[in-house]
Amino acid sequence: MINVTLRQLRYFDALARHGHFGRAAEACSISQPALSMQIKELEEALGGLLLERSARQVALTRFGEELSQRVRDILRSVDELGDFARASQDRFAGRLRIGMIPTIAPYLLPKITKNLTRMHPELDIRVRETMTPRLIQELVEGRLDTAIVALPVSEPSLTEVALFDEKFLLVRPGSDEGTPAPSREMMREMRLLLLEEGHCFRDQALSFCNMQSAPPREMLDANSLSTLVQMVSAGIGVTLIPEMAVPVETRSASVSLSRFRDPEPSRTIGMVWRKTSPLARQLLQISEVVCLSAGKVRARPSMRSQRG
């Protein structure tokens, strides 16, 4: 019988994800020598080398690559056992790992955390802010319980719950105050400032302007809406921001705001989680808290399980 511990599997999973003993040890809150010893014992128990070690990095062997996915499946199943136990209780308690995209987190996170803590004081809320592809990957791998993103994500293993729609506003220099909003055709001729590649909000802005890619005259890719708004204030160009970001991002910037004529550009905000999650009922309740925190009412509740 192979003597392998869950702790060893978690250490190996961290090492496979980080590709570095130091970063993996830090993620596991143990010393690097202790991590190395556990990995060595795991290799001895399995009878094969899992890693190719060098001074600068760690690479998985073919055996390690094959084992890595199996280990992630095992760890996800173990975590779901804990979720199953929590789901059977009357109260919602314990760890809750929520992912959010950067164009949502700064504006909704404080309110969501405050409301969840008030309603479920025994919850241990942990938040991960990153772009949609990374959130979906971590959700599928079991490292997140749910994520708040712009829909659709179209991942077959996930359930999508639409929460509310949100309009986009045009941000121009303060000197443009009172000037009618341009048409989407006119937008293609303007210096449009966008978030960097990988942000879904960038793609949504380009889609509204009927552009497949950024225009040649674009001077800036930014990694935050705050930077975009400040650059507009400096007279460099124009940009679009979601409605929820307006109070935070424009309070200290000399800019003007305009709404577009119908049909206004918008996005659908929603929550996603694994179809196999035992916490589905509780997560559906949390989706209502998200709407409350955003000051939105979900007129037509909808839940859609993607089918492969």
Side-chain angles (χ1 to χ4, degrees):
M1 179 177 180
I2 298 177
N3 186 17
V4 171
T5 68
L6 279 174
R7 177 178 299 177
Q8 290 171 337
L9 296 184
R10 292 194 186 280
Y11 291 168
F12 172 66
D13 179 58
L15 192 54
R17 285 189 284 109
H18 291 281
H20 188 275
F21 272 97
R23 290 192 292 270
E26 182 178 358
C28 295
S29 300
I30 62 170
S31 68
Q32 187 170 327
L35 175 67
S36 181
M37 181 180 68
Q38 290 292 325
I39 297 300
K40 185 65 175 176
E41 290 180 359
L42 179 60
E43 288 179 322
E44 291 174 355
L46 295 174
L49 291 177
L50 300 173
L51 310 169
E52 294 178 10
R53 298 166 173 83
S54 68
R56 294 187 176 181
Q57 64 181 10
V58 172
L60 296 180
T61 63
R62 182 175 178 179
F63 176 48
E65 289 280 3
E66 293 175 352
L67 183 68
S68 177
Q69 185 56 55
R70 292 177 180 269
V71 166
R72 288 178 184 175
D73 291 342
I74 291 170
L75 294 178
R76 182 169 61 245
S77 296
V78 170
D79 287 341
E80 287 183 350
L81 282 176
D83 293 340
F84 178 77
R86 286 192 292 154
S88 66
Q89 300 174 0
D90 292 333
R91 69 185 192 283
F92 197 10
R95 182 185 65 186
L96 178 65
R97 303 164 297 178
I98 304 178
M100 295 186 197
I101 56 177
T103 56
I104 292 178
Y107 320 112
L108 272 187
L109 177 58
K111 295 177 182 178
I112 293 173
T113 302
K114 180 179 179 181
N115 286 328
L116 282 177
T117 301
R118 175 177 54 83
M119 299 169 69
H120 305 284
E122 296 182 55
L123 272 181
D124 174 18
I125 302 170
R126 305 182 186 183
V127 179
R128 167 83 159 123
E129 179 187 345
T130 189
M131 290 184 281
T132 301
R134 180 63 62 84
L135 290 178
I136 298 307
Q137 178 185 352
E138 295 183 7
L139 189 57
V140 169
E141 292 176 354
R143 289 184 275 152
L144 289 174
D145 297 310
T146 185
I148 301 173
V149 297
L151 299 181
V153 296
S154 302
E155 165 55 48
S157 64
L158 300 181
T159 291
E160 299 182 9
V161 178
L163 301 182
F164 56 87
D165 291 332
E166 180 186 34
K167 306 295 187 183
F168 300 163
L169 276 71
L170 175 65
V171 184
R172 293 181 289 180
S175 58
D176 287 351
E177 186 71 43
T179 305
S183 66
R184 65 173 67 192
E185 290 74 19
M186 294 171 62
M187 287 286 294
R188 293 200 294 271
E189 302 302 320
M190 304 177 76
R191 184 177 296 157
L192 181 62
L193 307 179
L194 300 167
L195 292 175
E196 62 186 358
E197 293 280 357
H199 286 273
C200 58
F201 189 76
R202 173 192 176 96
D203 299 330
Q204 292 156 357
L206 287 172
S207 175
F208 170 69
C209 298
N210 289 331
M211 290 188 285
Q212 298 300 316
S213 60
R217 64 179 56 85
E218 184 193 7
M219 294 183 63
L220 172 71
D221 279 351
N223 63 9
S224 73
L225 294 176
S226 178
T227 300
L228 290 180
V229 172
Q230 292 303 320
M231 296 304 286
V232 172
S233 178
I236 292 179
V238 303
T239 194
L240 276 66
I241 64 172
E243 198 168 20
M244 71 171 69
V246 169
V248 173
E249 303 301 352
T250 65
R251 61 190 174 193
S252 62
S254 177
V255 296
S256 64
L257 296 169
S258 302
R259 289 190 178 276
F260 292 94
R261 294 185 292 273
D262 287 334
E264 294 183 76
S266 65
R267 63 179 179 177
T268 299
I269 303 300
M271 281 178 58
V272 292
W273 57 78
R274 292 182 304 281
K275 290 194 289 187
T276 58
S277 175
L279 296 175
R281 180 174 59 86
Q282 286 85 349
L283 294 174
L284 193 58
Q285 293 173 359
I286 287 177
S287 73
E288 299 292 345
V289 177
V290 175
C291 289
L292 171 67
S293 302
K296 303 284 187 178
V297 176
R298 192 165 60 194
R300 296 195 306 258
S302 63
M303 182 167 67
R304 181 162 60 97
S305 294
Q306 295 291 333
R307 299 184 184 277

